[in-house]
Amino acid sequence: TNCWNAAIYLNPLLDAKPSFNTLWYSGQKYNSPRSYLDLVTRNQKSHNTNYSIYAEITPVKGLRFKTQGTYYKYERNIFQYEPGTMPAKAEDEGGTAYRGEYHKTNLLIENTLSYKTSFDQKHNIDVMGGLTSQRWEGNNLTLQGKGYQSDKIGWNDMGGIPDKENYTATSSFVDG
C-alpha cells in the first residue's frame, strides 16, 4: 500500500459506505472498506491429516524388531474474486480472480532390529541396526486473471477471460 491509500482506511472524516472520496481534490471514486466486505469474496479451505503407527515384536528372547510409520497430508485451496462492480473500477474493466491450490504429502518409515544377550555373567552383547526412509512431494498451482465479464462465474472458469494477456498460470512440483 501507499500513503494515499492508507488515508482511505484511517481518515475518520470518510464514511464507511459511500464510494466517493470528497477529500481528494474535487473528489474521486474509491473502494471503501464496506465495499470490500460486501462485494469481494475471499475463501480459504485447509485440510491436514496425520496418521501414525507403531509396532514392536520380540520373536525370540533378546531379539527385538521395532517399526514406526507416519503419513502426513496437507491441502490448502484459496479462492478470491473482486467483481467488476467495485466502485473504483472502470465501466468495462471486469472482475479479478485468483485461485491457488497447494498439496503436500510425507511418508516416513523407520525400522530397527536389536539383539541383546549376556553370557558367562561377564560378557554382554548389545547390537542394533536400523533403516529410515522418507518420501515427500508437494505441488503448487496458482491461476490469476483480470477482466472477467461475468461476476456470477467468479473463479470457477479461470480460462474464460477475453484477453489472455491478463491471465497468469504458475505451477511447481517438488519431490524427495
Side-chain angles (χ1 to χ4, degrees):
T1 62
N2 45 39
C3 60
W4 53 86
N5 283 343
I8 292 172
Y9 297 101
L10 301 176
N11 193 326
L13 300 175
L14 291 174
D15 193 3
K17 289 188 179 181
S19 58
F20 195 75
N21 180 355
T22 57
L23 303 176
W24 183 265
Y25 297 103
S26 61
Q28 175 183 353
K29 285 179 138 185
Y30 79 105
N31 296 325
S32 70
R34 189 67 211 185
S35 65
Y36 276 101
L37 290 173
D38 292 340
L39 301 173
V40 176
T41 304
R42 294 173 197 248
N43 295 333
Q44 178 171 323
K45 297 177 184 178
S46 299
H47 178 74
N48 189 6
T49 305
N50 197 2
Y51 299 104
S52 294
I53 189 168
Y54 174 82
E56 186 173 321
I57 305 168
T58 307
V60 294
K61 184 179 178 186
L63 183 64
R64 186 171 61 183
F65 175 73
K66 285 192 212 178
T67 185
Q68 179 175 333
T70 303
Y71 177 75
Y72 168 78
K73 184 175 185 176
Y74 176 74
E75 296 176 346
R76 181 181 66 223
N77 298 307
I78 301 170
F79 306 99
Q80 298 176 358
Y81 190 76
E82 184 178 295
T85 57
M86 290 295 284
K89 288 199 174 212
E91 187 173 327
D92 289 329
E93 188 175 343
T96 303
Y98 173 87
R99 182 175 187 155
E101 298 184 11
Y102 175 76
H103 305 276
K104 181 179 180 180
T105 59
N106 184 24
L107 178 63
L108 178 67
I109 299 173
E110 183 173 85
N111 297 311
T112 58
L113 183 65
S114 61
Y115 181 71
K116 184 176 183 179
T117 189
S118 1
F119 56 93
D120 292 337
Q121 296 181 343
K122 298 190 251 179
H123 302 288
N124 295 317
I125 297 176
D126 192 353
V127 179
M128 184 176 102
L131 173 70
T132 301
S133 178
Q134 182 176 18
R135 169 89 174 137
W136 60 271
E137 67 181 40
N139 60 61
N140 190 28
L141 170 69
T142 59
L143 305 171
Q144 189 167 0
K146 295 179 181 181
Y148 293 95
Q149 298 304 308
S150 175
D151 291 336
K152 292 179 181 179
I153 295 173
W155 56 78
N156 291 309
D157 184 13
M158 295 295 292
I161 189 168
D163 185 2
K164 300 299 184 201
E165 294 290 322
N166 294 329
Y167 179 72
T168 307
T170 59
S171 66
S172 64
F173 177 76
V174 182
D175 68 20

